[in-house]
Amino acid sequence: MQSPLPVRDGVNATRLRLPDEGPWTTAMDYMMHRWGHIDPQGIEDRFDAGEIVGEGGAPLDRATRLEDHTFIWYYRTLPPEIRIPVELDILHQDEHLLVVDKPHFLPTTPGGTYIQESALVRLRNQLNLPDLIPMHRLDRMTAGVLLLSTNPETRGKYQVLFEKRQVQKEYECVSAAEPAPEFPAVDFPVVVRNRMTKSRSYLLAEVIEGEPNAETRIERLETFDGGASADSARTHPARLARYRLEPHSGKTHQLRVHMASLGLGIVNDAFYPELLDKAPDDYTRPLQLLARGIRFVDPISNQPVEYRSRRVLSEAAQTRR
């Protein structure tokens, strides 16, 4: 459903569905029920200023009846955010697409405590592209190639490519050169297939019984000395390896789960194979997972295209100095 309010400061207006019935007479009564304990004066001021609107952009006031609208839109009050000390690099830009090299620690889209400090909002503001929309997502801790649509009129053509799995993605990671002792040896390249599920109420994705819905081809590219570094949470492997990962599906945390299932948890992964206590971001120890490349036949030019990250995983770079 199209918002009647434009993007402001790089952020979309929030949409709220009003209940069909309840003990509330007005739309403002319901908003007070939801958020009045946080900022009751702010809610009243927004209604008085006509900053809360319904379908077609009609402004609501304090007396607007609950049943007059199904959806309403408004701008959230955004808390101040500390800038994440990382930068986005632009790999390609044209009238249809923007391709960027996303750094570790920066989320793709706004959410939770990260609103202005997300790749999408930064880019909308930096490039004055309010219609910018990501075509896929990278985890906050994953770096690499991110594809965004700049043109609403052609956006659907690119969305179809993702829906039909006509986009090939390639990742790299750094992990131990050999599986943990309790795991069997691995004959590379290997294809991992299983059934994964992820609920919104639980941080981790899980492998369950059933028909496989997640598949990744994993190839070991090189091995090298991991050095003597260590952390208090888990021992840093003495021998590391760089792996190429080719997912044939797109489940949440799929690559991290599949590497951990082989006894090869990705270096600096705070989730798999073991969920560590939450700690402040350590920008010197990013998750060693990179979206290296993405390729597809461009639906506008009908020509094959490929975009490659220029980033290097820090563990692999350090060992070559």
Side-chain angles (χ1 to χ4, degrees):
M1 181 178 294
Q2 183 69 32
S3 171
L5 294 176
V7 170
R8 187 170 76 179
D9 296 328
V11 182
N12 295 85
T14 296
R15 186 183 74 177
L16 174 68
R17 184 185 180 99
L18 298 178
D20 295 330
E21 57 184 17
W24 312 283
T25 303
T26 66
M28 192 178 82
D29 290 340
Y30 179 68
M31 289 195 73
M32 284 293 191
H33 166 73
R34 293 284 302 270
W35 296 291
H37 63 289
I38 299 175
D39 184 19
Q41 186 61 53
I43 293 174
E44 292 179 349
D45 291 345
R46 289 184 186 188
F47 275 98
D48 291 343
E51 293 182 352
I52 300 175
V53 306
E55 292 88 342
L60 281 61
D61 58 33
R62 297 190 186 205
T64 301
R65 296 176 302 171
L66 184 71
E67 62 267 23
D68 286 354
H69 295 274
T70 301
F71 293 99
I72 61 175
W73 287 263
Y74 62 95
Y75 295 112
R76 289 176 289 174
T77 300
L78 302 179
E81 296 179 52
I82 297 174
R83 184 173 176 84
I84 299 173
V86 295
E87 300 299 332
L88 286 149
D89 296 322
I90 295 176
L91 299 174
H92 171 82
Q93 184 176 359
D94 61 32
E95 61 182 311
H96 306 290
L97 290 179
L98 175 68
V99 186
V100 299
D101 218 351
K102 188 186 84 67
H104 298 282
F105 300 104
L106 191 70
T108 298
T109 55
T113 59
Y114 303 99
I115 307 298
Q116 294 292 329
E117 286 305 288
S118 63
L120 177 60
V121 175
R122 276 198 191 184
L123 290 165
R124 281 177 171 177
N125 290 330
Q126 174 187 337
L127 302 174
N128 191 26
L129 292 172
D131 290 326
L132 196 65
I133 292 292
M135 293 289 90
H136 61 112
R137 296 191 184 190
L138 297 178
D139 288 345
R140 187 172 79 88
M141 304 307 287
T142 303
V145 177
L146 178 66
L147 188 74
L148 303 100
S149 163
T150 61
N151 188 341
E153 294 183 2
T154 59
R155 183 167 299 151
K157 295 180 182 294
Y158 293 95
Q159 289 173 329
V160 167
L161 296 181
F162 285 90
E163 292 168 0
K164 293 185 175 181
R165 297 186 180 180
Q166 294 175 348
V167 176
Q168 288 75 50
K169 300 177 185 177
E170 176 189 338
Y171 289 75
E172 286 182 12
C173 75
V174 172
S175 183
E178 300 295 339
E182 62 271 25
F183 288 82
V186 180
D187 185 17
F188 292 102
V190 65
V191 175
V192 178
R193 296 185 185 91
N194 54 29
R195 185 167 189 82
M196 291 179 56
T197 183
K198 172 73 168 65
S199 71
R200 293 186 177 181
S201 60
Y202 188 53
L203 283 173
L204 302 182
E206 298 178 283
V207 176
I208 60 174
E209 294 294 329
E211 184 71 19
N213 63 357
E215 178 179 320
T216 307
R217 182 184 184 275
I218 302 170
E219 178 183 358
R220 188 166 60 194
L221 299 176
E222 62 175 340
T223 61
F224 47 87
D225 186 359
S229 61
D231 61 66
S232 59
R234 59 177 69 136
T235 302
H236 194 100
R239 290 289 294 171
L240 295 175
R242 186 167 60 91
Y243 296 86
R244 177 186 291 125
L245 313 174
E246 297 176 342
H248 297 159
S249 51
K251 298 299 179 182
T252 301
H253 294 179
Q254 174 179 321
L255 302 179
R256 297 160 74 173
V257 170
H258 282 181
M259 287 298 293
S261 73
L262 298 176
L264 297 167
I266 297 173
V267 172
N268 297 337
D269 192 342
F271 281 24
Y272 308 96
E274 175 188 359
L275 179 62
L276 304 182
D277 292 336
K278 182 174 175 58
D281 288 338
D282 182 348
Y283 298 112
T284 67
R285 301 184 68 252
L287 175 70
Q288 295 297 285
L289 179 61
L290 174 69
R292 171 57 68 196
I294 188 169
R295 62 185 186 275
F296 53 90
V297 175
D298 189 282
I300 306 299
S301 67
N302 292 318
Q303 297 298 312
V305 294
E306 182 173 11
Y307 302 104
R308 306 283 294 178
S309 173
R310 299 168 185 159
R311 299 182 184 274
V312 178
L313 291 170
S314 57
E315 287 291 340
Q318 290 174 10
T319 60
R320 297 172 188 174
R321 293 175 183 171

